[in-house]
Amino acid sequence: MCQVSKVLEVKNLITEFGSGSQWLRAVDGVSFSVSEGKTLGVVGESGCGKSVTCMSLIDLLPKPMGVVKGGEVLFKGVDLAKASAKEMYQYRGGDIGVIFQEPMTALNPVHKVGRQVAEVLLLHTKMSKQEARVEAIEMLKKVGIPAPEKRVDEYPHQLSGGMRQRVMIAIALACKPDLLIADEPTTALDVTVQAEILDLINDLQKEMGMAVIMITHDLGVIAETCDEVVVMYAGRVVEKGTVKTIFKNPKHAYTKALIKSILSLETPNKATLPTIPGTVSSIANFVEGCRFCQRMEVDVSELTVRPKFEEVEPGHWVETCPRCYQ
Ligand SMILES: Nc1ncnc2c1ncn2[C@@H]1O[C@H](COP(=O)(O)OP(=O)(O)OP(=O)(O)O)[C@@H](O)[C@H]1O
Ligand SMILES: [Mg+2]
C-alpha cells in the first residue's frame, strides 16, 4: 500500500495565557496530523481555540502572555515547538504559508501589493529584485487577479476584499510551501467570493501538492474542502475522523449538535433554527471533566475527570464521556 507522508504531526499541544503564577489553558492537549496533498479541517464555535492552536504551531502567539507549555509540533519530523524565533521566521512564509481571516490587517497598507509578494520571495529564495517582481506578477496571475502587470503597483485599499484575499493567497503560496494554514480564509467575504476563494485554494493545492489546515466555524466549508476533520470544543479535540465518518456517523453530542445546526440552515424556516443552547465557557472556568457536559449544565462536582479520547473504529477518535458519547 502506498504510504502518504505526514507533513505535520501535532502531539498533545498545550497553550496557556497568563503571567507569573496565573495561567489559563486555552489549548488543552490537542493532537492531529495532516498528510501531503490532504486538507484537514479544524471546526468549532467561536472561542473554542482554533486560532490559538494555529498560532501556536507557527510561533505567532501574542508575547509574552501566550506560551506553548507542552507537546510537539513535528513539521516534516522537526519539532517546531523547540525551534528558535529566528528559525520560525524562516519557516513562516517559506515552507509554511499562512492566510488569515482579515486581509486588510494582514497586508501592509503603505506598500504596493506586488512588493509584498516580492518581499517573501526575497526573504526565502535567492531571487534578485527583478526576478522577484516578475514572479510576483506571475503569482498574482495564478491567483486570478486580472491585469496583474497593472495591479502589482496598486495598494491594498485599491482592491476589493476578495482581491485582497487573493493577494494574501499569492503571498502565502509564493514560496511553494509544503503546508498552508488557512484561518477562516473566507469568513470576511460575501458568499459568491467565498466559493471562488475556496476553489482557488483547492486548485492550487492540487497543483502544488501541499497539505492544508483549514480552520473554520462553518461545517459547510469542511464538507466541501476537507479530507479529515478535527472537532474542537473548549480547547480540546472532542472528535476526529474522515469527513465522511464525521458527517455520516458522528458520535459526540457536540459534533451532532453542530451538524444539526448547519442542516437547519438549509431549511426554509430559519425561525425554527435549533442552535446549541448555552455558550462555550470562558477559559477561566473550564472544568477538568467533559466541557460539553459543563455547557449542558451537568453539576460541576461530577465533572472532575477528563474523558478518555479513544479510537472507536479505525481512524475515528472520540472523547468517550458517558453522557456525550452516543
Ligand atoms: N491574547 C489572549 N489572551 C487571553 N486569552 C486569549 C487570548 N487570545 C485568545 N484567548 C482565549 O483563548 C480562547 C480561544 O480563542 P481562539 O481565538 O483560539 O478561538 P477561535 O476558536 O479561533 O474562535 P473564532 O471562531 O471566534 O475565531 C478564547 O477563550 C479566547 O478568549
Ligand atoms: Mg479564530
Side-chain angles (χ1 to χ4, degrees):
M1 206 171 78
C2 147
Q3 194 73 29
V4 194
S5 69
K6 284 180 184 167
V7 175
L8 183 80
E9 207 174 352
V10 178
K11 293 183 184 171
N12 207 18
L13 181 72
I14 294 173
T15 302
E16 296 185 346
F17 288 103
S19 64
S21 58
Q22 300 282 323
W23 291 89
L24 296 173
R25 192 166 285 190
V27 175
D28 189 14
V30 163
S31 303
F32 57 79
S33 62
V34 52
S35 302
E36 208 177 295
K38 298 287 180 193
T39 302
L40 173 79
V42 180
V43 72
E45 288 162 288
S46 190
C48 65
K50 305 181 297 295
S51 294
V52 174
T53 298
C54 91
M55 302 284 192
S56 307
L57 306 180
I58 46 177
D59 193 30
L60 282 182
L61 290 167
K63 288 185 179 152
M65 63 277 202
V67 176
V68 172
K69 292 274 178 115
E72 289 173 85
V73 179
L74 300 172
F75 176 67
K76 297 196 291 185
V78 177
D79 189 0
L80 300 184
K82 294 196 177 67
S84 68
K86 195 171 158 217
E87 284 166 331
M88 283 312 302
Y89 191 69
Q90 286 298 327
Y91 279 114
R92 275 195 312 270
D95 290 338
I96 304 176
V98 190
I99 313 173
F100 295 105
Q101 177 170 342
E102 194 14 90
M104 206 49 203
T105 50
L107 291 173
N108 188 331
V110 301
H111 290 163
K112 293 172 180 170
V113 294
R115 172 171 164 185
Q116 300 190 51
V117 181
E119 256 169 16
V120 290
L121 292 163
L122 291 174
L123 183 68
H124 295 283
T125 71
K126 294 194 163 61
M127 280 184 199
S128 67
K129 274 194 172 164
Q130 185 50 33
E131 286 165 337
R133 182 181 161 87
V134 171
E135 182 64 16
I137 295 172
E138 197 50 43
M139 279 312 294
L140 293 177
K141 189 167 160 200
K142 203 172 220 159
V143 296
I145 292 186
E149 314 72 24
K150 213 172 114 240
R151 295 289 187 163
V152 70
D153 290 319
E154 290 186 347
Y155 292 92
H157 74 263
Q158 293 175 281
L159 304 177
S160 68
M163 286 298 154
R164 285 199 287 264
Q165 196 56 301
R166 286 174 193 266
V167 172
M168 277 300 298
I169 296 172
I171 293 172
L173 301 186
C175 297
K176 317 264 180 298
D178 295 315
L179 173 67
L180 173 70
I181 300 176
D183 188 355
E184 309 264 8
T186 60
T187 309
L189 306 171
D190 70 47
V191 179
T192 48
V193 183
Q194 273 188 19
E196 285 171 22
I197 296 288
L198 292 175
D199 285 347
L200 172 66
I201 294 174
N202 267 339
D203 291 348
L204 293 172
Q205 175 183 29
K206 282 205 191 90
E207 190 187 321
M208 299 182 179
M210 64 198 168
V212 175
I213 298 180
M214 177 70 69
I215 295 168
T216 175
H217 59 266
D218 184 342
L219 270 173
V221 170
I222 299 276
E224 275 164 41
T225 61
C226 298
D227 301 290
E228 289 188 291
V229 195
V230 164
V231 181
M232 281 193 74
Y233 185 76
R236 293 175 177 167
V237 177
V238 293
E239 187 156 6
K240 93 183 155 186
T242 62
V243 167
K244 203 170 154 200
T245 302
I246 297 296
F247 280 90
K248 289 248 165 78
N249 191 22
K251 290 287 184 193
H252 196 281
Y254 179 63
T255 313
K256 289 183 183 186
L258 271 184
I259 291 173
K260 215 165 154 187
S261 70
I262 59 152
L263 290 179
S264 64
L265 284 174
E266 287 154 17
T267 61
N269 183 2
K270 289 197 177 169
T272 60
L273 230 180
T275 48
I276 308 171
T279 47
V280 187
S281 66
S282 95
I283 55 177
N285 300 323
F286 283 169
V287 290
E288 181 57 20
C290 173
R291 292 172 182 171
F292 195 58
C293 280
Q294 184 180 12
R295 174 161 179 175
M296 294 297 130
E297 298 184 346
V298 173
D299 194 312
V300 290
S301 65
E302 291 180 42
L303 305 176
T304 52
V305 181
R306 182 173 183 156
K308 283 202 181 106
F309 191 62
E310 296 178 280
E311 191 170 22
V312 295
E313 57 182 319
H316 186 185
W317 293 75
V318 192
E319 246 194 12
T320 52
C321 157
R323 294 178 201 85
C324 297
Y325 172 58
Q326 303 155 351

